[in-house]
Amino acid sequence: MSIESLYDEQSRAYDKKDGYEDKRSDVKAKISRLKSALSKVSSIKHQVSKKRSEASRLAHVDKWKGNKFNEYQEEINDSLMNGFNIYYDKTDDISDKIRSKITRLENESSELKGLIGEAWNLINDIATAIINFID
């Protein structure tokens, strides 16, 4: 092997390394944007949960009597509470999808690290599954 071919090989290796670093940088930027979105969705989910609790207390008004009370209770249970439950479930689904996308991107980034990256991917997948299950 000549010295020129070794320099060429070294140059290709540096170019490849730069490409990996650019790709990892791009993935990190995407992850950062997704984490920001996840934070916003989690905040909305928390607000919906609070409003749902407040609405639930409205359904237990002890001081109101009259022939419209049952109609009022049905309206709260059927419309308002179901609406809050649907909205909460949708925000929960969105949170799970964002976490899963973050995990895929983190795994993509760590694949560039070789064998250690593969082990990290397995741990990352398990952690995300656990978080999505309990949250």
Side-chain angles (χ1 to χ4, degrees):
M1 212 175 225
S2 72
I3 228 129
E4 281 183 25
S5 64
L6 289 173
Y7 280 128
D8 288 343
E9 190 174 328
Q10 180 185 27
S11 178
R12 283 191 301 275
Y14 280 131
D15 289 345
K16 192 173 184 179
K17 178 184 170 263
D18 290 343
Y20 285 149
E21 287 176 359
D22 290 345
K23 186 175 181 180
R24 288 188 72 211
S25 178
D26 183 47
V27 168
K28 284 182 180 182
K30 288 177 183 177
I31 290 170
S32 178
R33 289 191 303 270
L34 284 169
K35 284 184 177 181
S36 175
L38 178 60
S39 175
K40 290 175 185 174
V41 171
S42 294
S43 175
I44 291 169
K45 183 176 157 185
H46 178 70
Q47 291 171 8
V48 170
S49 179
K50 282 177 58 177
K51 294 292 183 187
R52 182 173 60 175
S53 293
E54 291 170 10
S56 176
R57 278 180 275 185
L58 284 176
H60 302 293
V61 176
D62 293 339
K63 298 176 182 169
W64 185 19
K65 297 183 189 219
N67 59 356
K68 296 281 185 178
F69 180 71
N70 288 339
E71 186 179 316
Y72 165 79
Q73 286 253 330
E74 286 176 20
E75 188 67 29
I76 285 178
N77 289 330
D78 292 345
S79 298
L80 188 62
M81 294 306 293
N82 283 339
F84 277 125
N85 289 336
I86 290 168
Y87 196 71
Y88 182 87
D89 290 344
K90 293 291 183 187
T91 57
D92 189 51
D93 290 343
I94 291 168
S95 295
D96 290 350
K97 288 176 182 175
I98 292 173
R99 275 192 216 93
S100 295
K101 180 64 176 177
I102 289 171
T103 299
R104 282 193 301 277
L105 288 171
E106 288 173 341
N107 290 349
E108 180 181 323
S109 176
S110 67
E111 283 174 2
L112 302 173
K113 297 177 185 175
L115 187 58
I116 298 290
E118 290 177 26
W120 167 253
N121 289 350
L122 292 173
I123 293 167
N124 203 18
D125 288 342
I126 292 168
T128 299
I130 290 169
I131 290 169
N132 284 346
F133 180 74
I134 62 174
D135 186 31

